[in-house]
Amino acid sequence: MPEDMHRSVPCVGHFASHFDKVQISSGHFATAAYYRVNLDCDFYFDDEFGHEDEGTPYWSW
């Protein structure tokens, strides 16, 4: 690919709890870095972090 084109890998994770673990192997990370590929990760949790108060947005906890 030409250098002026951007490369990325979108990653989406869906978890039952915010206590679940996420890991990217060092080999995959090194390969993405070598080829200058961005990793765009979005994570979704069923338990809403376990701290959700009715009417209170998560960023104000």
Side-chain angles (χ1 to χ4, degrees):
M1 291 181 75
E3 286 296 321
D4 60 338
M5 293 188 76
H6 299 282
R7 299 168 275 264
S8 67
V9 175
C11 305
V12 177
H14 183 252
F15 304 94
S17 170
H18 68 285
F19 293 111
D20 292 341
K21 305 288 187 225
V22 177
Q23 182 176 355
I24 298 175
S25 72
S26 61
H28 290 131
F29 187 78
T31 301
Y34 178 80
Y35 289 108
R36 304 178 81 189
V37 175
N38 294 323
L39 297 176
D40 178 21
C41 299
D42 296 318
F43 301 118
Y44 300 93
F45 304 93
D46 286 342
D47 67 353
E48 298 182 24
F49 294 98
H51 308 291
E52 186 73 34
D53 292 327
E54 189 65 34
T56 305
Y58 72 90
W59 57 83
S60 66
W61 298 338

